[in-house]
Amino acid sequence: MQDQFQRKIEYLRISVTDCCNLRCRYCMPAHGVKKLRHADILSYEEILRNVRALAGMGIRKVRLTGGEPLVRRDIVHLVRGLKQIKGIETVAITTNGVLLGEMLDELLDAGLDAVNLSLDTLDGGRFLSITRRPSFGAVMESLTRLTEENRLDVKMNCVPIAGVNDDEITVLAALARDYSVKMRFIELMPIGCARTEGYQGVPMDEVRARLKAAFGALLPVGEATHGNAVPVGPAAYVRPAGFRGALGFIDAMEHKFCDTCNRVRLTAEGFLKLCLYSNAGLDTRALLRGGATDEQLAVAIAHAVWQKPEEHYFEMDAETRDHRAMYQVGG
């Protein structure tokens, strides 16, 4: 499946809920948010029907996000259903890790292929300050499980924020020295609380410089992106000497990667988003609940994907910008 700019769309991110069991300062207000009504969220069967249509057009990788995806009841059932869809090669989850430890065995049995663990600090006090929740112990248990697990592709995601956790960049990076995991540093995006509260991300060039000073030359490594390889994301990876794993950088602001974007997003309400920062897309819920056939659904999706925007415009406050927070659009 291609868009009008000849980009091959193979990767779908699905937000299964807008709810979360943390209240991270750069993501969600302390008092939480008004939850979507249960009836407004796609059922698992509606999600699977969307994915079957998309898989028939070339989607091969699915990632479950939120909110926090593991707070949605019976998420293991969805993972198992996704793995049974012809054409879907990889099912992954991005999680804050609070519930992962107790659910990991079930998720593996259902066929889960990969986990991204959001990890902004290794300090318990700072974790409480950032997330506003006393769940550090549970996250550390999940981290331990992941570093010992050889059946999963494991990535850690850190958002370096000036004056918040930027002094832990090298400490977090050392996880990839000691374990066969990918430690990724993600540029703070001006969305939701990160925008309204005035948080400042650490430029990725500065992150690279700090890591080079601490660990030596950052030798480029890559992930297979040709042949029958599973579609990959936008991170650029390096491996300092002596590292078992790799370090990754995602800097959508400093270095746009829109020309190679291979993804679309499905929100919890069933809106197929073509770009994270744009409100362009397709209301698949209306089609699904309006009696559309599988063929009609596929045609509508293909037409929408063809119109995927050429690039994001984070730096502009245009009318076409999606003003919702990250937890509402699936990140």
Side-chain angles (χ1 to χ4, degrees):
M1 177 168 52
Q2 289 189 333
D3 65 12
Q4 61 184 313
F5 303 104
Q6 287 71 59
R7 291 172 295 195
K8 189 176 183 181
I9 311 302
E10 306 173 277
Y11 181 10
L12 173 67
R13 297 175 67 98
I14 304 173
S15 173
V16 297
T17 179
D18 61 328
C19 297
C20 187
N21 46 7
L22 298 181
R23 293 291 181 271
C24 295
R25 293 180 178 275
Y26 60 84
C27 182
M28 192 177 288
H31 54 76
V33 296
K34 183 178 180 180
K35 296 190 296 185
L36 294 169
R37 295 188 310 153
H38 181 72
D40 292 335
I41 295 176
L42 291 188
S43 67
Y44 285 160
E45 182 49 45
E46 288 171 328
I47 291 174
L48 292 171
R49 191 174 167 201
N50 264 319
V51 176
R52 283 191 288 267
L54 284 156
M57 293 181 282
I59 290 293
R60 295 191 289 152
K61 178 177 180 178
V62 172
R63 177 172 297 281
L64 302 180
T65 70
E68 166 51 41
L70 297 186
V71 302
R72 181 155 176 185
R73 184 176 300 176
D74 296 328
I75 190 70
V76 173
H77 172 75
L78 178 61
V79 172
R80 185 173 290 109
L82 290 167
K83 287 292 292 184
Q84 294 172 351
I85 294 177
K86 182 179 179 181
I88 298 301
E89 299 174 12
T90 296
V91 176
I93 283 180
T94 294
T95 174
N96 60 32
V98 174
L99 299 174
L100 181 63
E102 64 190 65
M103 298 178 66
L104 187 55
D105 289 333
E106 285 185 277
L107 290 165
L108 285 166
D109 288 343
L112 186 69
D113 298 292
V115 168
N116 284 17
L117 176 68
S118 298
L119 188 68
D120 291 326
T121 180
L122 292 173
D123 179 87
R126 182 169 288 171
F127 179 92
L128 179 60
S129 175
I130 292 173
T131 68
R132 304 185 178 102
R133 293 292 185 273
S135 302
F136 182 70
V139 175
M140 290 301 101
E141 289 179 16
S142 294
L143 174 61
T144 299
R145 285 290 311 274
L146 291 175
T147 58
E148 297 171 346
E149 183 55 60
N150 59 14
R151 292 171 290 178
L152 289 169
D153 179 39
V154 177
K155 298 172 184 174
M156 313 292 179
N157 293 339
C158 170
V159 180
I161 303 175
V164 176
N165 65 341
D166 55 321
D167 59 336
E168 289 192 73
I169 288 172
T170 56
V171 176
L172 288 161
L175 288 170
R177 178 193 61 198
D178 301 334
Y179 303 101
S180 297
V181 301
K182 298 181 181 74
M183 183 70 224
R184 291 130 50 95
F185 296 95
I186 302 175
E187 190 173 20
L188 182 68
M189 296 183 184
I191 297 177
C193 292
R195 185 186 188 96
T196 59
E197 299 301 318
Y199 289 108
Q200 296 295 316
V202 181
M204 285 297 109
D205 286 344
E206 181 179 335
V207 173
R208 290 182 179 92
R210 293 195 200 182
L211 294 175
K212 183 177 180 180
F215 302 112
L218 306 180
L219 307 174
V221 295
E223 291 186 285
T225 57
H226 59 278
N228 294 320
V230 172
V232 297
Y237 289 100
V238 300
R239 179 177 290 118
F243 270 54
R244 295 177 61 186
L247 302 174
F249 308 96
I250 301 177
D251 41 356
M253 299 292 291
E254 295 177 63
H255 303 105
K256 281 186 178 183
F257 43 81
C258 300
D259 60 332
T260 59
C261 182
N262 63 350
R263 67 186 61 186
V264 290
R265 292 171 168 81
L266 186 66
T267 72
E269 310 103 298
F271 188 74
L272 187 69
K273 281 182 63 65
L274 308 177
C275 175
L276 178 61
Y277 211 49
S278 169
N279 57 22
L282 174 70
D283 184 355
T284 71
R285 186 183 66 189
L287 291 170
L288 292 167
R289 298 181 183 180
T293 65
D294 290 346
E295 182 179 0
Q296 289 170 332
L297 178 64
V299 168
I301 289 174
H303 179 73
V305 170
W306 180 258
Q307 300 176 74
K308 179 176 168 68
E310 184 175 11
E311 57 183 324
H312 73 66
Y313 295 99
F314 280 112
E315 66 277 11
M316 297 177 64
D317 195 22
E319 291 183 5
T320 56
R321 179 170 71 83
D322 192 333
H323 291 263
R324 291 176 295 176
M326 191 73 83
Y327 63 85
Q328 295 172 304
V329 299

